[in-house]
Amino acid sequence: FPFAIDTELVECPVCGDDYVHHASEPLVFPKGRGTCISLQFWCESGHAFSIQFSFHKGQVFIEIPEPSSFDPATPSQPELWRD
């Protein structure tokens, strides 16, 4: 999926919806010979996706893995509290 840092909004990579919610605490795990931080999101159209920042030898790589779907009729989607 193409990724551009020229907007103030995170948009769903599937449908372009900009009504996006962060789903959980960031996940941190080893990736290759470096570290990866994964931020989980879901949009109000029912797509779940993440944005991953991988670090290796002073370089930062941004990746959006293949999105998944969930049932929007589920009573509550996981979401971090916000004010």
Side-chain angles (χ1 to χ4, degrees):
F1 296 99
F3 185 80
I5 306 177
D6 62 353
T7 180
E8 295 178 6
L9 296 174
V10 172
E11 296 176 347
C12 174
V14 176
C15 65
D17 191 348
D18 61 3
Y19 288 92
V20 170
H21 304 265
H22 46 272
S24 64
E25 295 289 335
L27 304 174
V28 179
F29 54 92
K31 184 173 182 181
R33 295 177 61 195
T35 302
C36 182
I37 297 173
S38 180
L39 305 175
Q40 311 297 309
F41 298 93
W42 58 273
C43 78
E44 293 185 2
S45 296
H47 305 110
F49 65 97
S50 64
I51 299 175
Q52 294 182 347
F53 298 87
S54 299
F55 307 92
H56 180 66
K57 292 187 176 184
Q59 294 180 313
V60 178
F61 302 90
I62 301 172
E63 179 182 358
I64 301 176
E66 187 68 31
S68 60
S69 295
F70 61 83
D71 181 3
T74 303
S76 70
Q77 297 300 330
E79 184 173 1
L80 289 174
W81 178 88
R82 63 180 183 271
D83 192 11

